[in-house]
Amino acid sequence: MSTVPLLLLLVVASAGAGDGAAPASNARPCASPAASAYPFCNATLPFPARARALVSLLTLDEKIAQLSNTAAGAPRLGVPPFEWWSESLHGVCDNGPGVNFSSGPVRSATIFPQVILSAAAFNRSLWRAAARAIAVEARAMHNAGQAGLTFWAPNINVFRDPRWGRGQETPGEDPAVVSAYSVEYVKGFQGDYGEEGRMMLSACCKHYIAYDLEKWRGFTRYTFNAKVNAQDMEDTYQPPFKSCIQEGRASCLMCSYNQVNGVPACARKDILQRARDEWGFQGYITSDCDAVAIIHENQTYTASDEDSIAVVLKAGMDINCGSFLIRHTKSAIEKGKVQEEDINHALFNLFSVQLRLGFFDKTNENQWFTQLGPNNVCTTEHRELAAEAVRQGTVLLKNDNGFLPLKRSEVGHIALIGPAANDPYILGGDYTGVPCHSTTFVKGMQAYVPKTTFAAGCKDVPCNSTDGFGEAIEAAKRADVVVLIAGLNLTEETEDHDRVSLLLPGRQMDLIHTVASVTKKPVVLVLMGGGPVDVSFAKHDPRIASILWIGYPGEVGGNVLPEILFGKYNPGGKLPITWYPESFTAVPMDDMNMRADASRGYPGRTYRFYTGDVVYGFGYGLSYSKYSYSILQAPKKISLSRSSVPDLISRKPAYTRRDGVDYVQVEDIASCEALQFPVHISVSNDGAMDGSHPVLLFASSKPSFPGSPIKQLVGFERVHTAAGRSTDVEITVDPCKLMSFANTEGTRVLFLGTHVLMVGDEEHELLIEA
Ligand SMILES: *[C@@H]1O[C@H](CO)[C@@H](O)[C@H](O)[C@H]1NC(C)=O
Ligand SMILES: *[C@@H]1O[C@H](CO)[C@@H](O)[C@H](O)[C@H]1NC(C)=O
Ligand SMILES: *[C@@H]1O[C@H](CO)[C@@H](O)[C@H](O)[C@H]1NC(C)=O
Ligand SMILES: *[C@@H]1O[C@H](CO)[C@@H](O)[C@H](O)[C@H]1NC(C)=O
Ligand SMILES: *[C@@H]1O[C@H](CO)[C@@H](O)[C@H](O)[C@H]1NC(C)=O
Ligand SMILES: *[C@@H]1O[C@H](CO)[C@@H](O)[C@H](O)[C@H]1NC(C)=O
């Protein structure tokens, strides 16, 4: 085990020799004799003192050279360069310069399903385990000199509009689910190694804030001014970031390109400082890439490049992704717009994170993760966990007469039809690195049914011609069962590209109709993609027996699909996003309002506020079993003034009345913990197959008020229930956080009066009184 430190020393030696080019080096400053005498390497001093010591040793030019994702280091002090930008959304990937799959022994990494599919599992321990596995691979790559220590994931913007090209990267539309995912990802990824906030790696909550438009009609993310009211900010846009910081203890925030009410997000001092002052954020704030350069050049928010730098550094941003600050900060200082003190603040935050990551440790033999190497990447265990995420996330949307699961004995010949069926490059969605071993759907199916035939039907996902239809028809006619694989690819939805339609691309719908009209039996439709698709036609067409949504399932997608089709695994995933009809595209994507407004024909967004028809609703998903629920135990009444906690309400009178409705302000509740209550639910599996699925507990309040949510998710728990049996599950509800919502001033309020808890068809009334 002594080979690892030795290797490190060699790398340090070469970096110290002035070749500072390799961006994601794993060199350590304090391992070099030159640096070890400096106080920033003195392990008996606390981290803040060491960070300040290093800042004090740097010249102004050396300081400025730190303000980029590709930080130059200070060769004079033995400090090697540092690359802040690596990516790991659903597996280590090379979208940032920190990761390189060809510069060392690690040539690939496990591609987990795209986040939106894992989200559909609604399983916190799965999310945590996947983040942890990604971190193990990331750290192993770092140790091999092929990745950095700081990664820019997760993406926790709420999936507000179904057209958003990056909605696939997120855990969906519900702020509570996105919050919960962010906490598990960050905790799993960063690890927590005791004193002084030590971490194995750093995760980043992005994009702060109200970023969820790429390029749509005349709008682009670089200049989009997101007009967000105080109410939506408080109960939709902000909660994931608050949880990611407060509970997840993330060590990085990324400020986004867009403006928020006329001010660039990276220049919103109030918003950036809220994280530090109110949520206890300790870490660094990076801009999105080139987000500072555009402030003057493209947003014309400032009068000069120097002014842009002043406004972001003073707002609390620490590094800029890109070279803009390296090029213009000196001149900003000379013009008196930026003071050296502004830079010192930033460097203190940056070095503090590096210290917590062990970058300034003299030796790192004592940490288990410093011993990780190529053997810890692409392991069977990680592949199995990725498969588990696909199994748990896949959503069964339709299953007429129990058409699925298929019986092996009855399927001698199966046809897979669709351009995605045999394409290994479609499985990961965006932010996909180099997979260890991608299994296409055709390959995976052949392992189950040797006589599997494939016909693309369309040349590619955009499906602009019917040229391949003939071949598809022939294949379909001969098969016992036909599985059509349709849906989206990055040509429709990706970074810098939103969709304009919610329908299947090109002639895909024609292909499905054509094939379904010639088959012996009804067909199975498997939908890929991150964003929802309006498949109303398929929902109502009896020739399409079953519909499954499999997101972007990652490298093991092809292995798992047959497991589900043949019932080796009983699907139980639930949609983390509303599937809207095509008519929703009449809603302007740039309208950030969540709440419906009948006076202007605005239907609202997400299951909490949307008043229109859906194709499939948030939380929808079937199983090969049928589950029913009963609420065994839950309070009937919660009395704020007669609580066992004295002075639970800090304000007198305890409540306010407006528009005939009584409510308390959440900030006036002294102990939200004391208000939490458990709900005991019995889950019965009334079907013939064992199965696991998430129990989603919603609440709505009887008194309603313009802007109160239709209902909201107040808890979820995935449970396994054997056929014919029942399982009891306990869900703890936090009324302050999840039964409340924001009023128009952005103040969180909890209604007094009757609330209804709902799980499946079961309802339970609960009175909250003052
Ligand atoms: C490290 O810091 C401690 C506390 O200030 C000091 O006593 C010690 O001499 C320092 N060690 C070195 C090697 O400078
Ligand atoms: C990755 O490393 C290889 C070998 O060192 C180098 O040739 C290549 O340019 C690097 N790729 C990137 C994207 O930096
Ligand atoms: C910003 O403006 C410059 C100059 O007009 C242009 O070259 C660049 O493409 C724009 N960048 C973005 C991100 O729109
Ligand atoms: C999906 O998109 C990827 C990346 O753009 C491309 O390589 C692949 O060919 C596409 N697949 C299909 C079936 O269109
Ligand atoms: C498909 O057709 C549409 C519109 O006819 C066109 O915009 C698009 O570029 C085409 N895509 C491909 C991949 O041919
Ligand atoms: C949740 O995920 C973990 C990790 O994959 C798994 O062990 C557990 O069985 C899952 N829970 C349920 C109820 O499916």
Side-chain angles (χ1 to χ4, degrees):
M1 285 291 137
S2 66
T3 56
V4 173
L6 255 179
L7 195 75
L8 290 178
L9 276 171
L10 288 174
V11 178
V12 170
S14 72
D19 118 29
S25 130
N26 54 7
R28 292 286 184 280
C30 300
S32 81
S36 64
Y38 289 110
F40 62 83
C41 285
N42 186 338
T44 65
L45 297 172
F47 286 168
R50 292 172 67 185
R52 272 191 293 270
L54 178 52
V55 175
S56 74
L57 287 168
L58 298 175
T59 64
L60 179 60
D61 287 339
E62 286 167 337
K63 287 178 183 175
I64 291 172
Q66 295 293 318
L67 299 175
S68 161
N69 62 294
T70 307
R76 176 176 72 84
L77 301 172
V79 177
F82 191 90
E83 176 53 62
W84 290 90
W85 180 12
S86 294
E87 297 278 357
S88 60
L89 183 70
H90 56 113
V92 183
C93 60
D94 49 3
N95 294 52
V99 172
N100 188 328
F101 283 103
S102 50
S103 63
V106 181
R107 297 286 151 150
S108 55
T110 308
I111 309 298
F112 285 79
Q114 184 55 289
V115 177
I116 192 78
L117 185 68
S118 298
F122 286 89
N123 180 347
R124 291 181 183 82
S125 39
L126 172 77
W127 297 340
R128 172 86 64 118
R132 164 86 171 198
I134 294 168
V136 163
E137 299 201 352
R139 185 66 205 216
M141 285 187 72
H142 171 76
N143 295 345
Q146 295 181 259
L149 286 165
T150 51
F151 289 77
W152 292 351
N155 179 346
I156 56 165
N157 295 108
V158 165
F159 196 166
R160 172 190 64 98
D161 189 292
R163 290 161 285 191
W164 186 27
R166 297 182 78 176
Q168 56 176 302
E169 299 174 26
T170 76
E173 74 183 24
D174 185 69
V177 176
V178 180
S179 296
Y181 179 87
S182 76
V183 171
E184 300 306 329
Y185 185 95
V186 173
K187 288 191 162 178
F189 193 81
Q190 291 193 163
D192 179 5
Y193 299 97
E195 89 291 2
E196 295 192 277
R198 279 181 177 272
M199 320 174 266
M200 162 172 161
L201 293 171
S202 163
C204 195
C205 320
K206 75 185 187 188
H207 314 77
Y208 192 49
I209 195 173
Y211 168 85
D212 48 38
L213 178 150
E214 301 297 308
K215 191 185 271 174
W216 177 82
R217 303 243 167 111
F219 297 91
T220 84
R221 57 183 181 159
Y222 304 110
T223 52
F224 178 53
N225 176 19
K227 295 189 194 107
V228 182
N229 62 50
Q231 186 174 36
D232 292 335
M233 184 60 93
E234 169 62 32
D235 64 17
T236 295
Y237 296 104
Q238 181 176 279
F241 290 92
K242 184 175 178 183
S243 297
C244 194
I245 297 300
Q246 210 168 38
E247 291 169 61
R249 312 216 62 80
S251 51
C252 166
L253 264 174
M254 176 187 289
C255 52
S256 51
Y257 292 116
N258 56 286
Q259 299 188 341
V260 181
N261 300 328
V263 180
C266 294
R268 285 287 306 237
K269 182 169 189 178
D270 54 342
I271 290 179
L272 301 191
Q273 292 307 322
R274 181 178 303 156
R276 293 198 192 274
D277 299 342
E278 295 175 29
W279 309 335
F281 174 55
Q282 293 190 334
Y284 72 101
I285 301 179
T286 178
S287 74
D288 205 332
C289 296
D290 293 326
V292 184
I294 60 174
I295 291 177
H296 169 61
E297 197 167 284
N298 307 79
Q299 300 187 357
T300 59
Y301 173 75
T302 50
S304 70
D305 287 339
E306 290 81 5
D307 287 311
S308 302
I309 294 181
V311 75
V312 295
L313 285 178
K314 287 176 196 294
M317 191 205 79
D318 300 309
I319 48 166
N320 164 231
C321 174
S323 58
F324 186 77
L325 266 74
I326 295 200
R327 288 183 278 121
H328 302 289
T329 303
K330 192 71 175 281
S331 130
I333 296 228
E334 284 162 4
K335 292 186 174 154
K337 295 179 190 273
V338 167
Q339 282 67 49
E340 193 162 350
E341 192 49 35
D342 301 322
I343 301 177
N344 293 346
H345 273 298
L347 296 198
F348 174 81
N349 291 331
L350 294 167
F351 295 143
S352 296
V353 168
Q354 292 176 336
L355 280 153
R356 291 165 60 192
L357 287 164
F359 181 63
F360 290 100
D361 288 358
K362 276 201 173 67
T363 62
N364 48 27
E365 285 167 278
N366 48 350
Q367 303 273 23
W368 67 273
F369 51 78
T370 58
Q371 308 302 322
L372 296 170
N375 291 342
N376 301 102
V377 182
C378 293
T379 59
T380 316
E381 187 196 348
H382 293 170
R383 191 173 180 81
E384 172 54 24
L385 188 59
E388 191 55 28
V390 182
R391 292 177 193 124
Q392 292 187 34
T394 299
V395 183
L396 181 64
L397 294 168
K398 174 180 181 181
N399 197 21
D400 283 354
N401 310 313
F403 186 79
L404 293 178
L406 302 171
K407 290 191 189 61
R408 288 283 286 278
S409 56
E410 293 170 11
V411 185
H413 176 187
I414 196 165
L416 293 191
I417 294 175
N422 204 26
D423 180 1
Y425 304 106
I426 195 175
L427 296 169
D430 67 0
Y431 285 77
T432 290
V434 181
C436 310
H437 173 63
S438 263
T439 309
T440 64
F441 295 115
V442 169
K443 198 71 179 257
M445 186 59 76
Q446 279 164 347
Y448 261 73
V449 183
K451 195 157 180 216
T452 295
T453 49
F454 160 68
C458 308
K459 174 168 128 285
D460 51 17
V461 167
C463 192
N464 275 355
S465 106
T466 56
D467 287 354
F469 282 25
E471 189 201 357
I473 291 169
E474 290 316 308
K477 279 183 180 163
R478 288 192 304 267
D480 299 323
V481 171
V482 172
V483 177
L484 279 149
I485 299 188
L488 310 177
N489 191 6
L490 304 184
T491 33
E492 285 71 39
E493 50 171 7
T494 191
E495 186 157 10
D496 225 10
H497 185 63
D498 296 314
R499 281 191 291 162
V500 289
S501 166
L502 299 180
L503 298 173
L504 286 171
R507 312 296 294 268
Q508 284 196 30
M509 192 172 85
D510 296 340
L511 174 67
I512 295 166
H513 277 311
T514 305
V515 168
S517 63
V518 302
T519 52
K520 297 176 192 157
K521 289 184 188 162
V523 300
V524 175
L525 176 61
V526 174
L527 295 170
M528 293 190 66
V533 195
D534 179 350
V535 287
S536 310
F537 77 92
K539 184 178 173 182
H540 299 121
D541 186 343
R543 294 170 310 171
I544 297 166
S546 307
I547 307 176
L548 279 165
W549 174 70
I550 197 163
Y552 292 109
E555 64 174 275
V556 295
N559 301 101
V560 175
L561 181 62
E563 290 182 6
I564 294 175
L565 294 176
F566 286 99
K568 186 171 170 204
Y569 189 85
N570 182 357
K574 304 237 182 220
L575 292 179
I577 26 161
T578 303
W579 282 35
Y580 303 85
E582 175 70 356
S583 59
F584 191 86
T585 56
V587 174
M589 192 174 170
D590 59 302
D591 192 325
M592 300 296 284
N593 284 287
M594 296 301 296
R595 269 97 177 158
D597 181 353
S599 71
R600 58 188 181 98
Y602 186 70
R605 296 174 177 279
T606 78
Y607 80 94
R608 291 184 305 146
F609 305 107
Y610 172 67
T611 50
D613 295 332
V614 300
V615 179
Y616 292 110
F618 173 87
Y620 182 77
L622 307 169
S623 150
Y624 298 151
S625 295
K626 190 163 168 14
Y627 301 104
S628 59
Y629 309 92
S630 65
I631 296 182
L632 300 175
Q633 202 193 323
K636 288 209 157 44
K637 186 154 86 176
I638 292 181
S639 175
L640 300 178
S641 55
R642 256 170 294 139
S643 131
S644 55
V645 176
D647 303 321
L648 185 68
I649 299 288
S650 55
R651 198 157 64 94
K652 303 281 184 252
Y655 64 90
T656 309
R657 161 168 288 244
R658 198 155 86 186
D659 297 341
V661 179
D662 296 334
Y663 60 87
V664 291
Q665 298 193 357
V666 168
E667 65 192 24
D668 290 334
I669 299 174
S671 170
C672 280
E673 242 165 74
L675 276 193
Q676 292 182 6
F677 59 86
V679 178
H680 293 267
I681 299 164
S682 169
V683 181
S684 308
N685 179 344
D686 310 323
M689 277 180 83
D690 297 356
S692 128
H693 83 295
V695 176
L696 307 184
L697 181 65
F698 293 92
S700 68
S701 53
K702 280 251 171 103
S704 80
F705 193 83
S708 59
I710 298 163
K711 62 175 182 177
Q712 34 189 3
L713 188 70
V714 295
F716 63 89
E717 195 68 48
R718 194 171 176 109
V719 296
H720 182 268
T721 311
R725 308 290 281 268
S726 64
T727 318
D728 291 354
V729 56
E730 183 183 316
I731 293 178
T732 300
V733 178
D734 181 342
C736 290
K737 202 170 158 186
L738 298 173
M739 291 174 73
S740 64
F741 68 95
N743 65 17
T744 50
E745 287 90 65
T747 303
R748 231 171 227 283
V749 297
L750 180 61
F751 277 157
L752 299 177
T754 305
H755 294 249
V756 185
L757 297 173
M758 297 166 287
V759 54
D761 298 329
E762 178 89 346
E763 296 193 347
H764 173 94
E765 291 199 347
L766 160 68
L767 180 68
I768 301 186
E769 57 175 30

